[in-house]
Amino acid sequence: MLRLLFLQECRRTALAQTVLVTGGAGYVGSHVCLALARAGYAPITIDDLSDGHRKAVQFGPLEELDIRHREIATVIARYRPSAVIHAAAKSEVVASFRDPTLYYQVNVLGTLNLIRACRVAEVPHFVMISSAAVYGQVSQPFIAEANPTQPINPYGMTKLSGEMILADPSEYRGSWAALRLFNVAGAAAAAGLGEDHKNESHLIPLTLRAAYRNVGPLSIFGTTHPTFDGSAVRDYVHVMDVADAVLLTLSYLREGGTSRAFNIGSGVGISVLQVVEAVERATGYKVPIRVVNPREGDAAALVADISQAQQSLGFRPASSFLDTIVADAKAWELRQSEIVVAQGEQTQPLATA
């Protein structure tokens, strides 16, 4: 009911405004486009489809384009969007160590190119999809925006660099916000959207696949962390709550809100072993696990302090309950399996619990 009232309010203010979404064919970007369309906006997707999927672009036109290309200015000038949502990025931490140059090219130079095009076109509002990776290693479990930003991997460094470019008034003169996302999960399976990464690294889909498919045990990186059950604790936020946060941010900026960064998470810490238990409840299958050494630099607990987003944006993560996230992710995994089987591809089909 609260989400319905929220969408009705958004429709009253959207008035079919054009919003350009970079990375709109990707996981977060496609769900943002869904939320924008439901709220009465007209989303335009820019995506080079290197990581995204054409089938995920359902709510407006697709401009197949790399954000590093100078043609980005032509596209923005053509559509004259009322705002830009920047979700296009390379986003795998491990891959950022293998090819940091690519990450700097896309996440920094691409962002700079986009921001300069928005400045020339006088786009009034810019929302950057950033990451909690900008904080790096922290000593306390709850992270506020005032925490030092000291990223420990190339991905986090590129995200912080993008934020710094956006905050430089010589580069962008409109109002802006950087949304520092924590662990995004879940899906809008009924709308045909969910996690569809080429090299999946996220815990919840990997745990579902360990339960459903004969793919070997799920690796758990340490069970001796100083947490309540020994496994690492993270903040999982539903992807549709992230999309709602984007809508709230657009309203905040239109109403004259101060440009700044916001943490977007659930504000609740969930352990790896709790995720395993939730998947077992949802599927009825035992998840095979293998305990391995913790990864270097992994913190025991990382949870968002979302009080600023709550106070300034009115953000309320209505769907970010673990069982809800897992149920929606499960529905997406089952849907994907049905599609694969229907297409006749060779894979281990998902069982139905």
Side-chain angles (χ1 to χ4, degrees), residues 1-4 6-7 27 31 34-35 38 183-189 204 235-245 248 264-268 270 278 306 310 314-330:
M1 177 59 72
L2 288 175
R3 180 163 280 166
L4 177 60
F6 167 63
L7 288 174
Y27 176 42
H31 287 80
L34 168 62
R38 285 177 173 175
N183 293 56
V184 185
I204 290 176
D235 183 319
Y236 295 92
V237 57
H238 198 291
V239 66
M240 288 309 299
D241 283 337
V242 170
D244 285 350
L248 288 165
I264 302 298
S266 68
V268 176
I270 301 293
I306 60 172
Q310 290 173 321
F315 175 60
R316 300 292 184 272
S319 297
S320 294
F321 303 100
L322 179 58
D323 286 341
T324 301
I325 289 173
V326 168
D328 289 348
K330 171 191 169 184

Side-chain angles (χ1 to χ4, degrees), residues 11 140 150 181 203 236 250 261 300 337:
R11 290 191 188 100
Q140 69 273 24
Q150 299 173 330
L181 308 187
L203 177 62
Y236 295 92
L250 287 178
S337 179

Side-chain angles (χ1 to χ4, degrees), residues 127-152:
V127 180
M128 177 179 173
I129 302 301
S130 189
S131 168
V134 301
Y135 294 113
Q137 188 67 273
V138 295
S139 57
Q140 69 273 24
F142 285 89
I143 305 171
E145 292 88 347
N147 270 68
T149 48
Q150 299 173 330
I152 57 175

Side-chain angles (χ1 to χ4, degrees), residues 73-339:
T74 303
V75 172
I76 291 175
R78 183 192 316 147
Y79 286 105
R80 306 295 297 184
S82 62
V84 165
I85 314 298
H86 180 33
K90 296 295 180 182
S91 59
E92 294 182 23
V93 170
V94 174
S96 76
F97 282 108
R98 290 197 302 264
D99 193 353
T101 300
L102 175 63
Y103 274 66
Y104 279 101
Q105 288 174 342
V106 175
N107 296 359
V108 180
L109 296 181
T111 297
L112 176 61
N113 188 45
L114 175 66
I115 288 172
R116 286 182 170 174
C118 289
R119 181 190 66 196
V120 171
E122 298 183 339
V123 176
H125 310 302
F126 193 108
V127 180
M128 177 179 173
I129 302 301
S130 189
S131 168
V134 301
Y135 294 113
Q137 188 67 273
V138 295
S139 57
Q140 69 273 24
F142 285 89
I143 305 171
E145 292 88 347
N147 270 68
T149 48
Q150 299 173 330
I152 57 175
N153 53 64
Y155 169 61
M157 286 186 273
T158 62
K159 279 297 186 181
L160 182 58
S161 296
E163 288 189 18
M164 294 172 70
I165 294 169
L166 184 58
D168 185 346
S170 66
E171 292 296 345
Y172 183 64
R173 299 186 179 95
S175 62
W176 60 269
L179 303 185
R180 294 171 176 171
L181 308 187
F182 280 67
N183 293 56
V184 185
L193 299 177
E195 292 200 62
D196 195 3
H197 302 122
K198 294 174 182 177
N199 297 300
E200 187 56 71
S201 60
H202 293 170
L203 177 62
I204 290 176
L206 290 177
T207 307
L208 282 163
R209 293 171 193 181
Y212 274 136
R213 302 177 189 246
N214 185 23
V215 295
L218 174 74
S219 293
I220 294 181
F221 296 95
T223 54
T224 58
H225 293 285
T227 61
F228 56 86
D229 66 8
S231 64
V233 169
R234 294 293 183 267
D235 183 319
Y236 295 92
V237 57
H238 198 291
V239 66
M240 288 309 299
D241 283 337
V242 170
D244 285 350
V246 170
L247 297 183
L248 288 165
T249 303
L250 287 178
S251 296
Y252 166 83
L253 294 176
R254 284 201 311 269
E255 292 166 6
T258 302
S259 297
R260 56 161 299 154
F262 291 102
N263 286 341
I264 302 298
S266 68
V268 176
I270 301 293
S271 76
V272 173
L273 292 178
Q274 284 180 314
V275 169
V276 171
E277 292 169 358
V279 167
E280 290 179 341
R281 286 195 302 273
T283 64
Y285 288 94
K286 187 72 175 176
V287 176
I289 64 174
R290 175 184 60 190
V291 178
V292 298
N293 291 329
R295 292 171 294 194
E296 184 178 358
D298 269 0
L302 295 173
V303 183
D305 177 344
I306 60 172
S307 57
Q308 286 296 330
Q310 290 173 321
Q311 294 167 15
S312 299
L313 305 179
F315 175 60
R316 300 292 184 272
S319 297
S320 294
F321 303 100
L322 179 58
D323 286 341
T324 301
I325 289 173
V326 168
D328 289 348
K330 171 191 169 184
W332 169 252
E333 289 292 328
L334 291 172
R335 177 187 176 93
Q336 288 300 97
S337 179
E338 291 169 358
I339 292 171

